[in-house]
């Protein structure tokens, strides 16, 4: 299989009903499902190489989170938040009709996975029991193995500021080569890549419109980043640590050695606070490893298919 199937699912926010696109690889009837969720300004096609490698084992599902790629843009930009994305992912998993999914999350995609884990843990803990009138206890969604790519409960402020600086920039280019140069300039943390791979990383996140190359995502994503004050960030960090500690299956932590989002201290703390976790670091890479090359795909394949 050299190309994925493009599908969509209808999701809801307080202001609208929107379509979330997703890319599906492997046997459509396979109940063993891997959900791969991209970073803030990227898209589901980021996982093509990983998905092709894992398609013999999994049905691999790679959504374009709302506001990105082929998915609809939200009417209310303040809804571009992790809780909304969690809701959309639950709708997607319901469409897939499985009780358990493994998860690969890069940056924002990892935060969505942690948020989902926290929501599932809270539901299991606090939901009133209904005896014989309720659904069987086993019929619920479970997170299996989780891969967190250069993300954790505590985020480095320097990296967040760097990302916030370019997210809302309204830039466009006359040529594709200019778009490639721009992606290289704002994505230096991805580490060394061949020119062919930089073109690959650009092709899915710039669209040709009215004769110019423009970003594929809703620039209003930047607005929701500006709504986060220090108190809200501290509360979110507390909840994310609780969610991380609740992960009951093995966890693989990936970190770019030069990351300005996931510090070495936070990664070490993650190892200490969940004994089911293990860490792989990539030399010469910052935020975030692109998972395009064998040296980065290999540890994930070994972890998920062990």
């Amino acid at each position: 299989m050299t190309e994925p199937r493009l599908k969509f699912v209808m999701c809801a926010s307080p202001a609208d009903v929107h379509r979330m696109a997703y890319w599906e690889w492997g046997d459509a009837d396979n109940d063993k499902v891997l959900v791969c969720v991209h970073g803030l300004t990227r898209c589901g096609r980021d996982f093509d190489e990983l998905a092709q490698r894992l398609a013999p084992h999994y049905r691999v599902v790679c959504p374009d989170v709302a506001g990105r790629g082929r998915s609809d843009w939200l009417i209310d930009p303040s809804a571009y938040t992790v809780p909304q994305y969690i809701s959309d992912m639950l709708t997607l998993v319901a469409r897939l009709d499985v009780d358990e999914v493994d998860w690969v999350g890069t940056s924002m995609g990892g935060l969505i996975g942690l948020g989902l884990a926290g929501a599932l843990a809270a539901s299991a803990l606090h939901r009133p029991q209904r005896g014989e009138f309720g659904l069987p206890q086993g019929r619920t969604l479970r997170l299996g193995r989780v891969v967190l790519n250069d993300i954790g409960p505590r985020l480095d402020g320097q990296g967040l500021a760097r990302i916030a600086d370019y997210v809302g920039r309204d830039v466009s280019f006359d040529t594709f080569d200019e778009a490639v140069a721009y992606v290289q300039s704002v994505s230096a943390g991805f580490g060394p890549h061949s020119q062919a791979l930089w073109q690959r990383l650009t092709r899915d996140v710039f669209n040709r419109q009215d004769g110019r190359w423009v970003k594929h995502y809703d620039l209003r994503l930047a607005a929701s980043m500006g709504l986060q004050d220090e108190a809200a960030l501290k509360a979110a960090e507390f909840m994310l640590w609780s969610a991380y500690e609740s992960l009951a299956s093995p966890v693989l932590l990936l970190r770019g050695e030069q990351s300005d989002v996931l510090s070495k201290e936070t990664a070490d703390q993650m190892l200490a606070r969940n004994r089911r976790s293990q860490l792989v670091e990539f030399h010469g890479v910052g935020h975030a490893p692109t998972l395009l090359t064998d040296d980065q795909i290999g540890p994930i394949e070994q972890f998920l298919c062990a």
Side-chain angles (χ1 to χ4, degrees), residues 64-101:
D64 288 345
V65 177
R68 291 88 166 167
R70 301 292 186 91
S71 293
D72 284 342
W73 293 5
L74 301 180
I75 292 175
D76 178 5
S78 68
Y80 287 126
T81 60
V82 170
Q84 179 62 54
Y85 304 149
I86 293 170
S87 174
D88 290 356
M89 295 305 155
L90 285 170
T91 302
L92 172 62
V93 175
R95 161 68 64 85
L96 302 175
D97 194 25
V98 290
D99 294 331
E100 179 174 296
V101 296

Side-chain angles (χ1 to χ4, degrees), residues 113-133:
L114 285 177
L116 177 58
L120 294 173
S123 295
L125 184 63
H126 299 297
R127 188 178 308 283
Q129 301 302 307
R130 299 188 57 216
E132 64 183 80
F133 291 100

Side-chain angles (χ1 to χ4, degrees), residues 139-154:
R139 293 307 307 274
T140 186
L141 176 61
R142 300 180 301 275
L143 276 182
R145 292 178 176 250
V146 172
V147 179
L148 298 176
N149 184 19
D150 212 62
I151 198 68
R154 181 179 299 124

